[in-house]
Structure formats: structure tokens, C-alpha cells
Amino acid sequence: MKQYLDLCQRIVDEGVWIENERTGKRCLTVINASLTYDVANNQFPLITTRKSYWKAAIAEFLGYIRGYDNAADFRKLGAKTWDANANENQVWLNNPHRKGTDDMGRVYGVQGRNWRKPNGEHLDQLRKIVNNLSKGIDDRGEILTFYNPGEFDLGCLRPCMHTHTFSLLGDTLYLTSYQRSCDVPLGLNFNQIQVFTFLALMAQITGKKAGQAFHHIVNAHIYEDQLELMRDVQLKREPFPSPQLEINPDIKSLEDLETWVTMDDFKVTGYQCHEPIKYPFSV
């Protein structure tokens, strides 16, 4: 929690105003931020200075794991986060590759589970990583990337948190995640939850011990219509202690995550928080 608040304060104090072409808004921006999450000791990085909707964050990432390309499938899991980008992004609405309502195109999990090779074959990046880690193999290339510049025009949004690298030291698993762009008031807590949960899940299904997760952000920003709420409300609140995340121990394989797992298989304990803050969302 302290890392999050420190980054927010840093943006308020040191940020530079940058025009964002996609949204037509200015962003108060800093470059290069790094956060570390203690997954080994289950210090779940859930924001306590406002109510955080952690179930939607995990549901969204579960959709990535399943390779979903349709906002309706995310909604069924409990995440409405793709509704706007799939259906209100005018550039995507005008894209001839869009298949219709709720179509997201070849974004995020599609690339992770179904990367197209030049010869027409498809590569399941996540399956390779799970297979290797389950055997205790770390080839220093246990990398899952959603970032495919050759197919940007086939999706509604370039990935923000785009690459996840897993590393084994003995029987302890680590994760390093890279993010090119971060809406700090709204998006960062989603991303924190997802990085933490991804390592916890991968350790569980590969039979390893979870270590630390490292989260690197290139461009961290606060939109101009979010600044007052962050500076004058959220940063004035005292944080509560970190809660813990409980994951159903019956989840033992990638196939489990692909088939029967729901949000009922995740529980947060010890969560205290302040009132919600309704930050504006920029499509």
C-alpha cells in the first residue's frame, strides 16, 4: 500500500503534463516506477484508501488465461472492464476487422494462448511455460507476452501490462511483469492484483513456492480529471493493513483454470477500506 501511495504522491509532486492523443486529455506523468509484492507471505496489494473491486481484476486476468476475445465472456466471469473498449472506442468501431458487438479482436490473452506464427501455425505461450515450470525447467525464456506489433490493427487496444517473465530459483517461483502505460488512480490496483494473483496461481499449479513479484511501469500517469480526487481525497486518507488472498487449493492445473474456476474460488480476508472514489475512466 505504501508503494502505491508513494507513487501517487510522486506523480502529484514531480509529474509533467503530457497531452494524450487517444483520449484527448492531459496526463500528469512520470517515467519509470517499480513495485514489489510479497506473494510468499501473502501480503495482498489491495488498495485500502478506497474500496477496491478485486474480484473484477482477477476475473479479467482469468479471461486472459483462457484467451478470451469477447467482452461478453469477460462479463460472464464478473469483469465489465472490456465493455467500453470493445463497444465505445470509435477507432475500433470503424475498424473493418471488428466482428461485431463485444468483439475485442486479437488482444491480450488471444496473443498469450494463440500467437500466430509466420507459417500459419499457432503458439500457446502459456502452455509452454506451465509445462516447463512443472518440470522444474527455467530456460531463462519463460516469457508470456501479449505485445504483438504486427497485429495491433486487429484489436481494440494495445496491451498496457504486456509481458510476464517467470524465473525459478530452486523450487521458488518469481515473476517480473512489464507495463508500458498505467492509469494510476484506476488501473494500477487492477494491475497489482493481477501480478500478485498470477504468480500465486502459477506457483500453485506448477507445484512451486511463490516468491516475490516485481512490477515495472514505464509511463505512470494521472489524468487531469482524476487529479483533484487523488490529491485532495485519496492521498489524505490513512491506509489500513494489507489483507490476504485465499485461493481454492483444488485448483491444480492449467486445465482447471481454463474450465471450472470461478470467482467463488477466490477469497480476500482482513480487508478494511475507506469509501469508494469514482474516478473518471478514459476510453
Side-chain angles (χ1 to χ4, degrees):
M1 185 66 218
K2 183 177 184 300
Q3 296 176 92
Y4 175 87
L5 294 175
D6 285 348
L7 174 56
C8 294
Q9 191 65 58
R10 177 188 162 201
I11 296 172
V12 170
D13 293 341
E14 304 173 13
V16 175
W17 285 110
I18 300 295
E19 295 283 347
N20 182 254
E21 181 179 354
R22 180 177 63 87
T23 62
K25 298 178 182 179
R26 294 191 309 159
C27 300
L28 199 57
T29 305
V30 300
I31 300 301
N32 191 34
S34 296
L35 302 95
T36 302
Y37 314 128
D38 187 358
V39 186
N41 291 306
N42 201 0
Q43 296 297 301
F44 194 43
L46 197 56
I47 296 304
T48 63
T49 47
R50 66 169 173 84
K51 183 176 177 61
S52 179
Y53 300 93
W54 60 271
K55 285 188 177 182
I58 295 178
E60 181 183 62
F61 207 84
L62 184 57
Y64 297 163
I65 289 173
R66 293 178 176 176
Y68 286 166
D69 66 356
N70 193 284
D73 291 325
F74 282 90
R75 287 197 299 274
K76 291 174 186 175
L77 282 175
K80 298 180 180 180
T81 47
W82 282 96
D83 290 0
N85 280 308
N87 298 306
E88 299 175 23
N89 179 345
Q90 194 59 51
V91 173
W92 178 237
L93 294 178
N94 296 338
N95 191 313
H97 298 290
R98 184 173 182 265
K99 298 174 184 177
T101 302
D102 285 328
D103 179 44
M104 297 158 46
R106 290 187 56 77
V107 297
Y108 281 87
V110 177
Q111 302 292 349
R113 302 305 309 271
N114 194 26
W115 183 285
R116 290 199 287 220
K117 299 166 68 173
N119 63 2
E121 296 178 355
H122 292 80
L123 174 68
D124 187 340
Q125 300 180 66
L126 184 58
R127 168 57 65 186
K128 175 261 185 184
I129 296 168
V130 170
N131 287 347
N132 275 4
L133 295 179
S134 298
K135 299 172 185 175
I137 297 171
D138 174 6
D139 66 6
R140 291 185 283 187
E142 306 303 342
I143 299 172
L144 175 72
T145 185
F146 303 143
Y147 205 79
N148 186 349
E151 294 193 342
F152 283 165
D153 63 325
L154 302 181
C156 65
L157 184 70
R158 290 181 299 164
C160 295
M161 190 165 62
H162 57 82
T163 301
H164 304 274
T165 301
F166 288 93
S167 304
L168 266 179
L169 291 181
D171 63 352
T172 302
L173 185 64
Y174 297 84
L175 171 61
T176 306
S177 297
Y178 304 90
Q179 187 165 356
R180 66 171 180 85
S181 173
C182 185
D183 175 341
V184 172
L186 274 180
L188 181 51
N189 195 217
F190 252 61
N191 302 135
Q192 291 178 291
I193 291 166
Q194 290 172 344
V195 171
F196 183 100
T197 304
F198 195 23
L199 176 56
L201 283 172
M202 288 289 280
Q204 183 164 312
I205 68 174
T206 60
K208 306 304 175 189
K209 294 189 298 186
Q212 290 180 307
F214 307 100
H215 184 181
H216 300 300
I217 303 166
V218 176
N219 184 304
H221 50 265
I222 299 173
Y223 282 97
E224 56 187 328
D225 55 6
Q226 300 170 331
L227 180 59
E228 185 176 352
L229 286 170
M230 173 58 73
R231 182 190 59 219
D232 300 338
V233 180
Q234 188 165 358
L235 281 173
K236 301 295 185 183
R237 295 174 172 178
E238 286 296 321
F240 293 104
S242 295
Q244 293 194 318
L245 176 67
E246 295 180 6
I247 299 175
N248 184 347
D250 291 334
I251 301 173
K252 296 178 180 178
S253 68
L254 181 55
E255 288 75 17
D256 291 341
L257 293 171
E258 293 169 331
T259 55
W260 57 263
V261 173
T262 70
M263 290 309 99
D264 292 337
D265 295 295
F266 301 89
K267 182 180 178 182
V268 170
T269 59
Y271 185 42
Q272 301 177 67
C273 65
H274 291 268
E275 292 296 311
I277 299 175
K278 192 172 183 178
Y279 283 109
F281 174 67
S282 298
V283 178

